[in-house]
Amino acid sequence: MCETVRDASENEGGLSPWPEMHRIITSFERDDENHWRAILDCGHRQHVRHDPPLSTREWVLTEAGRASRLGFALDCKRCDDEHPDITHPE
């Protein structure tokens, strides 16, 4: 699974220059299977698993690590599906 993580604090004026499908992480929660999900500012949730070798996200394992990712942008797959006319920047 490909994931784009960007620091929103680097944007001028705090406004996102990315298309609508890039959403800001506002908090985290666990799902029914105890996997971590990011809660995005659009209201959708996205799994952020540490599952080596497929995905290495050691930051998700600690509270401090998750806190360090608040304010970062993820590509929201559900927003992608809802807005197929918007293309990703390369």
Side-chain angles (χ1 to χ4, degrees):
M1 171 183 284
C2 182
E3 151 184 344
T4 303
V5 180
R6 296 184 173 149
D7 185 349
S9 67
E10 295 175 3
N11 298 330
E12 183 177 328
L15 300 176
S16 176
W18 308 304
E20 291 180 337
M21 71 281 294
H22 288 100
R23 301 298 191 183
I24 304 301
I25 298 172
T26 60
S27 61
F28 293 91
E29 69 179 10
R30 288 190 184 259
D31 68 8
D32 295 338
E33 296 178 2
N34 217 27
H35 296 286
W36 284 104
R37 301 189 292 192
I39 301 175
L40 307 176
D41 64 352
C42 59
H44 296 139
R45 284 143 173 79
Q46 176 114 2
H47 279 101
V48 286
R49 294 182 181 100
H50 175 62
D51 188 21
L54 300 176
S55 59
T56 303
R57 297 183 191 100
E58 292 183 15
W59 57 265
V60 80
L61 301 177
T62 66
E63 185 174 343
R66 291 185 300 279
S68 74
R69 295 306 197 269
L70 295 175
F72 277 62
L74 286 180
D75 181 15
C76 180
K77 308 302 183 197
R78 289 189 61 192
C79 285
D80 283 346
D81 293 342
E82 293 171 5
H83 302 284
D85 54 319
I86 299 173
T87 58
H88 292 276
E90 295 299 325

